[in-house]
Amino acid sequence: MPQPDLTLTPAGPALAPRYTEPRPATPDTTTSRTTAPRTLRSHTPDSPTPRNPYLRLFALPGTRAFTAGNLIARLPSGMFGVSAVIMIAGRYDSYALAGSVTATGLTAGALAAPWIARLVDRYGQARVAVPATAYAVLGHLILLLCVHGKAPAWTLFLVAAATATAPNTGGMSRARWAHLLRDDPDALHTANAFEQAADELCFMLGPVLAALLCSALFPEAGTLAAAVLFLSGVLLFAAQRSTEPPIAPRTAAGSPLRTPGMVPLLAVFLATGAIFGSMEVVTLAYVDGPVAGPVLAVQAAGSCAAGLLYGRARRTARLRTCLAAMTVLMAMPLLAATTGSLLALAGGLLVAGMATAPTMVTGMGLVQRLTPASRLNEGMTLAVTALLAGIAAGSATGGWSADHAPFPAFGFLVPIAAAALALTLALCARPSAH
């Protein structure tokens, strides 16, 4: 009998959740428990099923609790980078240094992420995420103290690398959805779209909150608040044990990197990350004030709205189509910046952001299809690693272009170039990676 649940399970073969409606047991040599239903259902069969696909997601017990904790933990992801750029550039008067230090932290995190994810698969989310988060928060606090005391620049790079143990909270949330909805591809598509919209919401609110705290209180306030939220959110998320995926058994499956089409796809994620990293730094440098956060958040708002709409669609676009649209739309902030109007720039960022979420949802869907079932969580983490590495490269490049720009809007050429590179890589990749 075919077992479609294996195609989307991040931790290999696993028992069905206890809270789904059972069906007749499937004979097996090792167990007599029931398997999961093929469609998403509420835990109370007699209750009406919501027509909205997002409401149906949260009809499952435990999903609201782990989502709330994960959102609190994910909000600082949009705060740490902006807070670091603001406090370092303000203290050392160099956006190039601020961008390079931020890139160092992201690069270290990208290198450590697969190992952290492997530990999560082996020992469980709660057991690994809490101490890993504590170490990362300690690194951010030490960086805050170094910047406040204006320590030598080289120390900032060392301390930034100490924040690399931060777990991928978004990936852990996606892993829970993939486990709960492994028999319902349509609901899983909606869940993936919701997660991408949640990412954009955090990157929309995070920069605003960070910029307001840093300007209204003191330059280090954004980093301090982000550290508190990060640790609190992970503690709440880890406490929700009923929805935690089971520990993955050790298998003989090879690395996802050996899967045909995976390496070219990761290269596309690398170039896509450069779009996000460069756009953040060049926008902060161009606006250079307390309204920088709100202006930057408009891009995330456009992506959030587009992601929610994309999650309701039953058909997905091809990755190269999404990247082509992104390449065209990334020219909007450049054209708007040449006018010198912040309102026009906000509008350009809003339009540009509308291509982000569909591109990321489509790309993550390809990762899920290309990765062996028993290594799905590792495959998703490799995609996030490539994305973080691209963000790091984009941050450094954006910081350099901001300091050496021949005209104010020059930096906005970097995201366009990165989008064109991502499209070129997708066109040159195997058909399965399109």
Side-chain angles (χ1 to χ4, degrees), residues 47-295:
S47 62
T49 302
R51 298 185 61 182
N52 189 306
Y54 293 104
L55 294 180
R56 289 200 298 271
L57 289 179
F58 296 104
L60 293 174
T63 55
R64 298 180 184 181
F66 87 72
T67 299
N70 195 269
L71 287 177
I72 295 173
R74 215 184 307 187
L75 179 61
S77 62
M79 299 177 62
F80 280 126
V82 173
S83 299
V85 169
I86 292 176
M87 71 177 183
I88 294 174
R91 183 70 65 177
Y92 293 84
D93 194 26
S94 173
Y95 277 102
L97 176 63
S100 298
V101 171
T102 303
T104 299
L106 290 172
T107 301
L111 294 175
W115 301 100
I116 300 295
R118 189 167 297 177
L119 290 174
V120 169
D121 282 339
R122 184 171 298 177
Y123 299 107
Q125 292 183 353
R127 187 174 178 183
V128 174
V130 173
T133 300
Y135 282 120
V137 166
L138 180 61
H140 284 290
L141 294 179
I142 295 176
L143 178 62
L144 182 154
L145 294 175
C146 289
V147 173
H148 181 73
K150 203 171 184 180
W154 62 267
T155 62
L156 305 185
F157 291 93
L158 292 179
V159 176
T163 65
T165 61
N168 178 16
T169 52
M172 289 191 297
S173 184
R174 287 177 172 88
R176 293 199 180 203
W177 287 119
H179 171 61
L180 302 179
L181 305 174
R182 59 188 180 275
D183 263 349
D184 196 340
D186 290 339
L188 183 57
H189 168 72
T190 302
N192 284 336
F194 169 80
E195 289 297 322
Q196 187 59 42
D199 280 339
E200 302 302 337
L201 179 64
C202 292
F203 279 104
M204 176 176 63
L205 298 179
V208 176
L209 181 58
L212 289 177
L213 290 173
C214 291
S215 59
L217 300 178
F218 48 91
E220 298 84 6
T223 299
L224 182 60
V228 173
L229 288 173
F230 188 30
L231 183 58
S232 301
V234 169
L235 289 173
L236 178 59
F237 175 78
Q240 314 308 315
R241 304 301 294 270
S242 64
T243 55
E244 182 176 350
I247 297 175
R250 297 191 181 188
T251 64
S255 170
L257 293 174
R258 299 179 182 178
T259 304
M262 178 60 75
V263 172
L265 181 58
L266 294 180
V268 173
F269 272 93
L270 181 70
T272 304
I275 303 172
F276 307 145
S278 59
M279 182 65 78
E280 178 178 285
V281 174
V282 299
T283 302
L284 289 172
Y286 180 86
V287 179
D288 194 22
V291 297
V295 170

